[in-house]
């Protein structure tokens, strides 16, 4: 399945506005997440088949259609990074348990990388999740996403044990992180 991809140029000095997504943003979010899937497949290298199975096009399309329900307020949120009226990044969180939230699908369009949009999305997600009453945030990623791992660690996330049972075919490339939302300061991060 090939979908159109938005490509918008953003220079490193441009500041993104982070806000809660609206229904009108969903087409842009869906395009971003098809790009995210493509990036995961590309970065997985020889393990790309595992990603293609885990993110099979039909199932992934269904998941994307269901994002507004999965990440609905008041205990979840879909955040977008907007620059010049264009949605160029996205992140979301939802209840993993009563006091733990999972952040999912942090992705920034390649042309907006370096603008701070990814950091701003994660920081805003942390702040809002804390305000929603969560005491811990978890996130997973794959080892080839070095930039994501560096971002999470720079914001105070620490490696942790898996918080779900990963597919054995994919377990060796997954990385798990968590962050206490109690007393965690983003001031210097």
């Amino acid at each position: 399945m090939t979908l159109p991809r938005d490509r918008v140029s953003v220079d490193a000095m441009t500041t993104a506005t982070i806000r809660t997504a609206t229904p009108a943003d969903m087409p842009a979010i869906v395009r971003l997440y098809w790009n995210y899937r493509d990036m995961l497949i590309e970065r997985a290298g020889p393990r790309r088949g595992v990603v293609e199975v885990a993110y099979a096009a039909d199932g992934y399309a269904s998941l994307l259609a269901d994002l507004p329900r999965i990440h609905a307020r008041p205990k979840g949120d879909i955040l977008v990074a907007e620059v010049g009226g264009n949605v160029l990044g996205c992140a979301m969180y939802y209840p993993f348990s009563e006091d733990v939230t999972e952040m999912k699908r942090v992705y920034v369009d390649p042309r907006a990388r370096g603008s701070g949009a990814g950091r701003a999305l994660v920081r805003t997600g942390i702040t809002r999740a804390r305000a929603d009453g969560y005491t811990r945030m978890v996130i997973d990623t794959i080892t080839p996403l070095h930039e994501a791992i560096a971002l999470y660690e720079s914001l105070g996330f620490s490696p942790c044990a898996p918080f779900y049972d990963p597919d054995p075919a994919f377990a060796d490339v997954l990385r798990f992180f968590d962050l206490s939302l109690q007393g965690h300061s983003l001031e210097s991060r």
Side-chain angles (χ1 to χ4, degrees), residues 16 21 27 39 51 74 90 97 103 105 107 122 131 145 148 158 170-171 174:
M39 180 204 57
V51 177
C90 197
S97 68
M103 182 167 277
R105 298 172 203 88
Y107 182 77
V122 176
L145 298 185
S158 299
F170 210 44
L174 284 170

Side-chain angles (χ1 to χ4, degrees), residues 48-173:
R48 71 179 292 140
V50 175
V51 177
E52 289 170 334
V53 168
Y55 290 88
D58 289 344
Y60 196 62
S62 295
L63 171 69
L64 295 179
D66 206 23
L67 291 177
R69 183 194 62 77
I70 295 169
H71 301 281
R73 299 294 304 144
K75 294 297 273 181
D77 207 352
I78 299 175
L79 303 170
V80 295
E82 181 180 47
V83 177
N86 297 295
V87 173
L88 298 177
C90 197
M92 50 195 68
Y93 65 91
Y94 73 105
F96 188 78
S97 68
E98 186 174 323
D99 61 344
V100 177
T101 184
E102 182 177 8
M103 182 167 277
K104 299 291 287 182
R105 298 172 203 88
V106 177
Y107 182 77
V108 175
D109 184 282
R111 299 198 186 200
R113 292 184 191 153
S115 69
R119 176 174 295 279
L121 283 163
V122 176
R123 286 175 57 110
T124 301
I126 291 168
T127 300
R128 291 192 182 179
R130 181 184 296 122
D132 287 345
Y134 292 110
T135 60
R136 181 175 169 233
M137 179 176 276
V138 296
I139 194 166
D140 68 354
T141 191
I142 60 173
T143 55
L145 298 185
H146 307 289
E147 305 93 331
I149 292 167
L151 172 62
Y152 305 147
E153 289 177 339
S154 77
L155 290 171
F157 284 85
S158 299
C160 67
F163 45 87
Y164 60 84
D165 292 326
D167 181 327
F170 210 44
D172 64 320
V173 297

